[in-house]
Amino acid sequence: EPRSPWCCLAWTLVIGTMNSLVFLLNLLLMFVIFTIVLLPTIVVVYFGFQCHSQVLHSSARYCKSILDDNSSSALIILGFVIMSPLIVVAMAIYCSLARRLRLLMCFQPYSLAVYKGGKWCRGGEGGPCCARGCNTQLKAWV
């Protein structure tokens, strides 16, 4: 049975707010994982650019005694070479964690705002945001 216009609007705001919070949680989790996994690349490229004479040419002691332009260029190249596999590893970790925590199943359809009596579980899906008693045998790609 359809909801009244004001009730529909209120439920739309509630569902939109909940979906926005779930999106921000996923974004925060992705940012943390990518930052931790890509930290070696960030450090290597930073020191390469910091000590190269054509870029920043820092006056730090390690730049003068250890790193010259050739070694700084090597660090920059190494950093960009190891970036690709680390991005794949970070994405695999995020996808595995999101699937294990069922974070993507917390998004709710807006049809719950339009009609009364809708379940918070869509088609028997299970997840931490759904009601108890839902099917837990669900594939992520369905």
Side-chain angles (χ1 to χ4, degrees):
E1 155 181 5
R3 296 183 192 269
S4 68
W6 290 108
C7 186
C8 180
L9 179 65
W11 275 102
T12 301
L13 291 175
V14 168
I15 292 172
T17 303
M18 188 174 112
N19 286 344
S20 297
L21 290 175
V22 170
F23 173 75
L24 290 176
L25 176 71
N26 278 305
L27 198 64
L28 177 68
L29 180 66
M30 187 182 298
F31 177 75
V32 168
I33 290 172
F34 272 75
T35 302
I36 291 172
V37 172
L38 291 176
L39 191 60
T41 298
I42 295 167
V43 169
V44 167
V45 170
Y46 171 75
F47 281 117
F49 278 124
Q50 184 181 16
C51 294
H52 199 281
S53 66
Q54 299 296 321
V55 184
L56 293 177
H57 194 59
S58 175
S59 61
R61 192 176 77 210
Y62 57 85
C63 287
K64 292 179 179 178
S65 62
I66 299 173
L67 297 174
D68 58 354
D69 281 351
N70 291 333
S71 57
S72 296
S73 298
L75 282 178
I76 294 168
I77 292 169
L78 175 68
F80 284 113
V81 166
I82 65 173
M83 186 185 304
S84 297
L86 289 180
I87 287 175
V88 172
V89 168
M91 197 64 203
I93 291 171
Y94 167 73
C95 290
S96 172
L97 193 59
R99 184 174 181 203
R100 182 170 296 145
L101 296 176
R102 297 182 180 185
L103 292 178
L104 301 176
M105 298 184 65
C106 293
F107 288 107
Q108 297 298 323
Y110 285 102
S111 63
L112 291 175
V114 177
Y115 299 105
K116 291 181 182 178
K119 294 182 180 178
W120 285 94
C121 288
R122 296 176 301 230
E125 296 174 356
C129 302
C130 295
R132 298 268 183 217
C134 295
N135 184 12
T136 58
Q137 300 293 327
L138 180 71
K139 302 290 183 200
W141 53 86
V142 175

